[in-house]
Amino acid sequence: MALSTHTTSSGYLLPSIHSAPPFFTQQPNSSTQAVVTEHWTRIILGYARHRRLFFLRIEDAEVAGGDWDEVFRNERINRRLLPDHLQTILASMAGKSQAVYEPPKQTRAVLLYWRRPEEWAEVLHTWVSSTGHMNTIMTFYEITDPPVESPLSGIPEVLLRKAIAILAKTGRAQMIGAADGDGVRFFASGGK
Amino acid sequence: MALRRYTRSVDGSIPIPALLYNDEELVASQDGVGIYDGLVKSPDHQAGSIYVSTHRLFYIDTQNEQTRSFAVDLAHVTGTEYYAGLFTSSAKTTLYLASPNASGTEGGSSVPSLAEDSGESWECEVCAYRNPPGLSPAAARICGLCGVPRSALTVPESSRPSSSSSRPLSSSLPSSPPKSGHAIPRAEIQRPSSAISCPACTFLNHASLRNCEICSTPLPRSDSKRAPAKSAPASRPDSPDNEDDKRFIKVSFRKGGDKVFYSALKRSLKGKAWEIIGANNAAAAPKDADGHKALSRSGIYGILKVVETSAHTRDSDLQDSLKDLEALMVKAKEMVRVAAELNERLTATSTLAPAGSGLQQSSGTSTPATTTLIPSTEPEEATFIRSSLAQLGLQMANTPVTLDMMKDERRWIEELARELGQVLQGTGRAEQRHSYTLSSADEQAGSGLMGQRGILALDEVWGGWNRARGVALIPPSTFLQVLPHLSSFTDPPVRMRTFASGLSVLHTPPYTDAAFAARLTSLLTLAGPRTTLDVAQEERLTVGLAEEMLRAVEGAGHVCSDDPASAIRGTGTGGQVRWWSNVFQAYVWDGQIEDLAVS
């Protein structure tokens, strides 16, 4: 049975393995399952990056009609990813720092790290310097929802705070507490 | 003389427990004894075993157990004497014998031998209770339920003489029968003038009545009988007393055991088990006149009591029947031996027969006509006998290996493994030629338990093996010990393997994990995904076994499964797992390549 790749309506190229029915079954053999999980992780992160999706919930596999339908359901072979299977995949991703449970202390929703927080910190710093906001105080809203679309558009506040915290460690940013919302000031480079 | 007069011949080939009456018990036994008839040795009874029960003494001859064995009623024994033996003379026990009728007291406790009658069941005329056979003569005389004497109604007088006349003693003493007949129970009512109790309803009738006033039962006539009863002692001189000195037999204990046996004999004699029922009866009879004691034996209370005791005896009967089973087992062993012998002889003749026919072809006329007959008829008969033996479970090319044949356990296990190998794979090519299987199809398929199949569940093997053994069954623990040795006695080697579920099987090399995985992978590659059912059909396995094997192969990572539970439509309630060759193993990513650059 020849398997073929498939391009979704959103333009994402699904691998050929996605059309193999066993791919949707949780394999009893742990080494086989490791391969399956690895491919699923790659598909999920790739698709998240493609669609700029930051969150993934178990419900996405349970209920049809969400952002993830193209990935979790394969109508051509009549297969879908079962919530249990997704949960083990998410657990594996959280273990490898490819995602983090958000909010913490539950296992039904994750924040996907298709860029690691360190990478996001770099992206943020580059963007700030390129837009000339150095040494000025910026609100979070200005970063997540800039008038001109940026790589950071739509970034969840949780992730943004992590990125800022990383910059603050190296002295490139400073959190400023304010009554009506937090602000942040960026510095050109290490050292004040 | 005493020997012939007082003893009754018994069939000694029957085990002793089967010879006993229902209410009789075996007390002691001793082998290696000889019998003296009077002072001289009895030539026919010099090597045998002696058994003493509560009622009788048995001598079972070792050589001619059917013809020379005999039994003596302990009721005949009037006294015993014990001689401890001296130098070459072995210990002896002397039994003084006398006719119980001649020497008996008036109490009627003496037992006229009803040996012929005790062998059959009879119905009580009063309560219609069917009395079972097999009771001792004393017990058989009265109804087991209501306690009424057996022949009280129909033949109070006529049956007694006839039955006693059949005894060897009575037949040789023509004078005694009428007297002994009169000396029996109901006759001796102590008060001559007063009433006669009805034997059926115990009503006290007037002495002059012939039938009971209440139930019209014929009454025993008292006055006609009392006189002979008193004259009973007079019958003693009539009997041939000149032989008195010879009225004893001696038991000579050639192999010891005399003391134990003698004390057991004394106990039995003292117990007077043969008198107990008769005594009860006798005690009830005289007191009928008073009308007191009779109630304890008859009436509702008596019946209830009898029912109660019969429940007890039923319990003991059950234990007795287990003893019978033991006796049967002894016979069964013999039968198996006979079957094996027969089988051997058949094998010998069937191998001879072809040789004979070959000879005939070569030498022409010289062969006698009989050999021409044998080849034509013998095979049919032989196969018939063999198939009958096989159906009886007695087909034994070689008798089952048992522990007592072997010196040490290790060798035993190995022999068992060899035997199991033969059971599984047939008895080898040489013997397959004259295989015992009836249909030729079976013969081609291999006569062993495994036949064409390469894999067998352990329970089936165990059951089949024990069925083939028939006797001396193998316990599961031993069976498991044998299995590791099996591979060295089978060709191709049969090994055991245990699946993850705990199911254990015996299998030939094609059913090892590796061989099966290779076959399965090529099947899946060629024909695409398959369900468990398809695989089971392809491999000619049961579905359960196929499932186990597929799970094992999946565990090794050679295949992967597609569970229809993850279908979008018609979520697989009836769907089956489909097996795929491992599509992940050699898979190279061909999906979207991430643009790692910051977009």
Side-chain angles (χ1 to χ4, degrees), chain B residues 321-501:
Chain B
S321 62
L322 286 177
K323 281 182 203 157
D324 287 355
L325 204 64
E326 259 168 41
L328 194 67
M329 269 171 69
V330 175
K331 290 277 168 196
K333 217 174 240 176
E334 228 164 75
M335 192 167 167
V336 169
R337 206 195 61 229
V338 168
E341 264 172 25
L342 188 61
N343 209 354
E344 249 167 50
R345 213 166 295 163
L346 282 174
T347 318
T349 50
S350 65
T351 47
L352 266 176
S357 63
L359 192 75
Q360 192 201 15
Q361 279 167 1
S362 61
S363 61
T365 54
S366 68
T367 328
T370 46
T371 38
T372 57
L373 264 174
I374 292 169
S376 58
T377 56
E378 198 277 332
E380 279 173 44
E381 288 168 0
T383 43
F384 175 72
I385 292 172
R386 277 197 179 125
S387 63
S388 324
L389 288 177
Q391 279 166 6
L392 284 171
L394 291 173
Q395 168 224 328
M396 280 287 126
N398 47 343
T399 46
V401 181
T402 52
L403 185 53
D404 42 309
M405 289 186 201
M406 295 302 144
K407 296 273 184 297
D408 58 323
E409 194 159 344
R410 192 184 148 73
R411 240 181 80 70
W412 183 50
I413 298 284
E414 278 175 7
E415 281 304 310
L416 282 177
R418 192 189 304 278
E419 184 184 296
L420 179 56
Q422 287 176 353
V423 168
L424 284 174
Q425 300 185 324
T427 43
R429 266 144 219 87
E431 290 190 39
Q432 229 158 4
R433 252 189 298 128
H434 32 231
S435 171
Y436 312 126
T437 45
L438 293 174
S439 69
S440 57
D442 281 356
E443 211 164 328
Q444 283 160 4
S447 56
L449 192 60
M450 233 162 189
Q452 287 286 294
R453 294 177 292 175
I455 190 160
L456 275 180
L458 224 51
D459 53 344
E460 190 184 342
V461 175
W462 184 65
W465 188 20
N466 271 336
R467 208 154 44 231
R469 283 175 72 92
V471 291
L473 304 183
I474 293 296
S477 53
T478 314
F479 179 54
L480 290 176
Q481 278 181 321
V482 168
L483 289 178
H485 300 273
L486 189 59
S487 56
S488 44
F489 294 105
T490 46
D491 176 43
V494 173
R495 291 174 201 282
M496 187 178 81
R497 85 184 253 204
T498 306
F499 291 111
S501 70

Side-chain angles (χ1 to χ4, degrees), chain A residues 1 5 12-13 15-17 21-23 25 27-29 32 35-36 39 42-43 49 73 75 78-80 115 151, chain B residues 554-557 560-563 565-569 580 582-584 587 589-592 594-596 598-599:
Chain A
M1 185 178 271
T5 56
Y12 182 73
L13 180 69
S16 62
I17 199 79
F23 190 53
T25 302
Q27 298 296 325
N29 182 341
T32 309
V35 179
V36 172
H39 290 318
R42 194 160 175 186
I43 291 173
R49 178 192 291 268
R73 300 169 79 84
E75 297 284 347
N78 189 22
R79 287 290 180 273
R80 69 191 174 96
R115 274 195 189 120
Chain B
E554 184 187 41
C560 59
S561 53
D562 163 31
D563 193 342
S566 50
I568 299 173
R569 290 171 301 273
W580 288 63
N582 199 332
V583 283
F584 307 109
Y587 175 73
W589 181 262
D590 53 2
Q592 181 133 335
E594 285 91 346
D595 188 4
L596 285 176
V598 176
S599 56

Side-chain angles (χ1 to χ4, degrees), chain B residues 30-34 45-51 59-63:
Chain B
Q30 177 59 40
D31 61 345
V33 299
H45 307 103
Q46 283 310 305
S49 310
I50 197 143
Y51 299 85
Y59 169 82
I60 306 296
D61 200 80
T62 317
Q63 299 294 318

